[in-house]
Amino acid sequence: MKILLIEDSKFQRIASGRALIKAGYTVIYAGDGEEGLRAARENIPDLILLDMMLPRVSGLDVLRDLKLDVLVKHIPVIVLSGLGQANEARLLKDGAAAFFTKSEKSLENSSLALIKAVESVLTASKT
């Protein structure tokens, strides 16, 4: 299974990527929204992990663009945010499959929770 990780924080990108690879996933990386949109269309991943605070094109605009694109709109998107769940309902309405609050404090626990969220969304998308 191929996962596109769109995250501008190099630290978060490496930590999350390592956890995903360790769990058996192939990871494609993008460091900003523009690069993420291009990578989604070129690689057609099974799932997209999308940070909300991105340079060039915001995470919200990336989510909306993905859901309007016939080629990639079927791909489930898990929104990653360090800002809490204040916007969760709106993001789910805009097409996100799930919302995940990222935390740098307990990275190991956060990585395990991220893998569980990925597995849950991938399982749900198959049904």
Side-chain angles (χ1 to χ4, degrees):
M1 293 243 132
K2 201 172 9 174
I3 296 177
L4 171 58
L5 175 57
I6 307 172
E7 168 66 67
D8 65 322
S9 163
K10 186 176 181 181
F11 178 75
Q12 283 282 350
R13 210 169 41 240
I14 291 169
S16 298
R18 282 185 183 154
L20 292 163
I21 290 167
K22 188 175 177 184
Y25 297 101
T26 299
V27 181
I28 302 153
Y29 300 93
D32 64 54
E34 194 174 282
E35 187 183 342
L37 285 168
R38 186 171 47 253
R41 292 175 179 126
E42 289 173 1
N43 297 285
I44 314 295
D46 298 291
L47 180 111
I48 298 171
L49 294 171
L50 174 63
D51 183 26
M52 283 289 96
M53 304 293 284
L54 293 170
R56 301 181 109 181
V57 179
S58 75
L60 183 57
D61 287 337
V62 170
L63 177 63
R64 289 177 176 159
D65 285 356
L66 289 168
K67 294 305 169 184
L68 291 173
D69 188 324
V70 177
L71 189 63
V72 294
K73 70 180 184 179
H74 68 282
I75 301 169
V77 177
I78 298 177
V79 169
L80 306 174
S81 180
L83 301 178
Q85 298 176 321
N87 298 320
E88 182 177 5
R90 189 184 85 212
L91 293 166
L92 294 173
K93 183 176 164 258
D94 284 339
F99 184 92
F100 184 81
T101 304
K102 59 184 179 177
S103 166
E104 291 183 19
K105 289 181 183 168
S106 63
L107 201 55
E108 189 173 316
N109 290 340
S110 185
S111 293
L112 292 172
L114 179 62
I115 299 302
K116 286 182 180 178
V118 165
E119 290 171 353
S120 174
V121 169
L122 286 173
T123 300
S125 71
K126 289 179 186 175
T127 57

